[in-house]
Amino acid sequence: VIARTAERIEQLFRQSGWNLQQFAEALGESNPRNARTNVRRHFEKGGNPTLKTLIRIANAFGCKSLNEIIMG
């Protein structure tokens, strides 16, 4: 499920047309590198993103529910 969620987030990022700065701002991060690194850290190598992180990402992309992030 985590790998699929990470793929979905990458897909949403590409579809959004955002650059890293815009993505960082949407997540409330001041540094675009931090935003990308933080998201990757949660999903790579067996990471376990918190519910709070998933909600922030879903809100940033304007998803109506977490299912749009988790299930695609």
Side-chain angles (χ1 to χ4, degrees):
V1 172
I2 291 174
R4 181 176 41 210
T5 303
E7 289 172 11
R8 178 68 177 140
I9 290 168
E10 282 292 326
Q11 178 186 28
L12 289 168
F13 177 76
R14 286 190 306 273
Q15 288 174 352
S16 73
W18 288 344
N19 61 36
L20 287 179
Q21 182 64 41
Q22 291 166 317
F23 183 54
E25 290 171 3
L27 290 176
E29 298 277 351
S30 59
N31 183 328
R33 287 185 186 186
N34 287 348
R36 187 82 174 218
T37 300
N38 288 343
V39 170
R40 282 190 173 158
R41 183 186 71 226
H42 288 297
F43 292 98
E44 290 180 350
K45 299 178 184 173
N48 190 14
T50 64
L51 181 58
K52 181 179 178 179
T53 298
L54 290 173
I55 290 170
R56 284 178 60 204
I57 293 168
N59 287 338
F61 289 121
C63 296
K64 295 178 184 174
S65 73
L66 286 178
N67 274 343
E68 292 181 53
I69 292 282
I70 297 169
M71 305 306 286

